[in-house]
């Protein structure tokens, strides 16, 4: 019982840390985007290029943020420790079934030879 409570606490702590890092990433994205925009528009960085480089930078960063969001709120939410345990139990069950089939086949073969 105590082990289960400890696992639940660790899972909650890990999820909280993931969300905290995601929120930090979002704030960093907003401030960084603002900085890129101001640097491009008012300080003339990249003025000699025809393309608006800050839009590309912000778009790529936004895509990375979306991937981070998907990892935290979709992937890790459904593929947690419980899901891992269920998959491991299922695979172990399949292996044990296969081993028992092979053992029974070996016993049948030895009985047929005798």
């Amino acid at each position: 019982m105590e082990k289960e409570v400890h696992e639940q606490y660790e899972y909650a702590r890990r999820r909280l840390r993931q969300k905290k890092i995601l929120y930090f990433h979002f704030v960093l994205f907003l401030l960084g985007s603002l900085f890129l925009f101001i640097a491009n528009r008012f300080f003339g960085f990249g003025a000699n290029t025809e393309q608006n480089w800050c839009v590309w930078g912000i778009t790529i960063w936004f895509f990375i943020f979306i991937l981070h969001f998907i990892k935290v709120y979709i992937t890790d939410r459904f593929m947690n420790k419980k899901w891992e345990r269920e998959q491991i139990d299922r695979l172990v069950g399949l292996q044990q079934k296969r081993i028992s089939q092979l053992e029974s086949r070996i016993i049948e073969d030895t009985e047929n030879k005798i």
Side-chain angles (χ1 to χ4, degrees), residues 5 9 26 33 48 91 110:
V5 171
Y9 174 77
F26 180 69
S33 298
N48 55 356
L91 291 173
T110 55

Side-chain angles (χ1 to χ4, degrees), residues 27-47 51-62:
V27 170
L28 188 65
F29 166 71
L30 289 178
L31 293 176
S33 298
L34 181 64
F35 173 76
L36 290 176
F37 178 76
I38 289 172
N40 184 39
R41 192 65 73 189
F42 299 113
F43 294 116
F45 286 110
Q51 291 184 338
N52 200 356
W53 63 270
C54 76
V55 173
W56 283 102
I58 293 169
T59 303
I60 291 169
W61 198 349
F62 181 70

Side-chain angles (χ1 to χ4, degrees), residues 103-114:
E103 286 174 346
S104 65
R105 190 179 300 165
I106 290 172
I107 290 172
E108 288 177 9
D109 287 346
T110 55
E111 287 176 358
N112 289 339
K113 288 183 180 179
I114 296 178

Side-chain angles (χ1 to χ4, degrees), residues 66-98:
I66 292 298
L67 291 177
H68 189 180
F69 179 85
I70 289 170
K71 180 186 181 312
V72 170
Y73 279 102
I74 296 174
T75 306
D76 283 354
R77 185 175 181 189
F78 297 111
M79 295 183 181
N80 54 21
K81 288 285 187 186
K82 181 180 175 186
W83 180 83
E84 286 179 15
R85 268 191 239 119
E86 289 172 357
Q87 295 301 313
I88 288 171
D89 291 342
R90 185 180 64 81
L91 291 173
V92 167
L94 289 173
Q95 289 173 348
Q96 289 175 345
K97 182 180 174 183
R98 180 69 178 145

